[in-house]
């Protein structure tokens, strides 16, 4: 069974937090993709992002006050949505009501369960089960 690829979408201001999430994903046996860690300096940034998103099994999007207006975050969500892969919304500095009340938030995101960053262990436990289940079947 191939690795469980997890794309982590975030704003540049949230890089440190995104790196911690990536470390936790790796500890669960997943393979995280984080732009700062996985794209070489001088590489075709958009091509690398698109290539990994084409292969990813799921997307974690870290929504903070900084990421709400970042075009790349929304483009990455759109790509994941079109592929039909799970999109895990993690909030920091926002409540679900704050996020859902934004007029530009797509309905398909408003309907999802959202986690506060302090609840991410719930997601990580499920990821670990998916990774372990894939190993048993592979």
């Amino acid at each position: 069974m191939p690795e469980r690829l997890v794309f982590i979408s975030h704003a540049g201001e949230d890089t440190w937090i995104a790196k911690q999430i990536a470390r936790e994903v790796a500890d669960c046996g997943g393979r995280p993709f984080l732009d700062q860690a996985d794209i070489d300096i001088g590489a075709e940034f958009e091509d690398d992002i698109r290539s990994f998103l084409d292969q990813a099994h799921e997307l974690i999007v870290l929504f903070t006050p900084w990421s709400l207006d970042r075009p790349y975050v929304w483009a990455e969500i759109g790509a994941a949505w079109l592929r039909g892969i799970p999109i895990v919304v993690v909030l920091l500095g926002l409540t679900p009501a704050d996020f859902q009340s934004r007029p530009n938030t797509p309905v398909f995101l408003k309907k999802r369960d959202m986690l506060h960053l302090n609840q991410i262990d719930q997601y990580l436990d499920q990821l670990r089960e998916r990774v372990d289940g894939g190993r048993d079947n592979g």
Side-chain angles (χ1 to χ4, degrees):
M1 173 94 181
E3 294 177 286
R4 185 91 186 166
L5 305 177
V6 181
F7 192 102
I8 302 168
S9 182
H10 66 287
E13 291 86 347
D14 302 318
T15 297
W16 188 86
I17 297 164
K19 285 181 180 179
Q20 306 317 304
I21 293 171
R23 187 188 71 228
E24 294 292 330
V25 165
D27 287 349
C28 291
R31 181 175 155 219
F33 176 89
L34 193 62
D35 55 4
Q36 284 85 357
D38 294 304
I39 298 177
D40 294 332
I41 295 171
E44 292 295 330
F45 181 79
E46 289 87 356
D47 289 346
D48 288 347
I49 287 175
R50 194 171 27 252
S51 176
F52 195 92
L53 272 170
D54 284 345
Q55 302 170 51
H57 296 100
E58 52 199 86
L59 177 129
I60 297 173
V61 58
L62 176 60
F63 271 113
T64 65
W66 299 277
S67 64
L68 286 172
D69 297 317
R70 294 298 192 271
Y72 275 107
V73 169
W74 291 105
E76 292 158 0
I77 291 167
W81 181 69
L82 286 172
R83 287 202 48 236
I85 63 174
I87 300 170
V88 179
V89 176
V90 177
L91 302 175
L92 179 62
L94 299 167
T95 66
D98 294 336
F99 181 73
Q100 292 170 332
S101 68
R102 291 180 51 89
N104 295 337
T105 301
V107 172
F108 72 86
L109 281 183
K110 290 181 179 185
K111 292 181 177 179
R112 291 181 189 273
D113 288 334
M114 295 174 214
L115 297 173
H116 185 274
L117 182 61
N118 288 335
Q119 300 169 315
I120 199 164
D121 285 342
Q122 294 172 24
Y123 163 75
L124 295 169
D125 289 343
Q126 292 175 10
L127 175 63
R128 191 174 289 109
E129 288 175 14
R130 287 191 289 277
V131 168
D132 290 345
R135 288 184 185 143
D136 292 343
N137 298 329

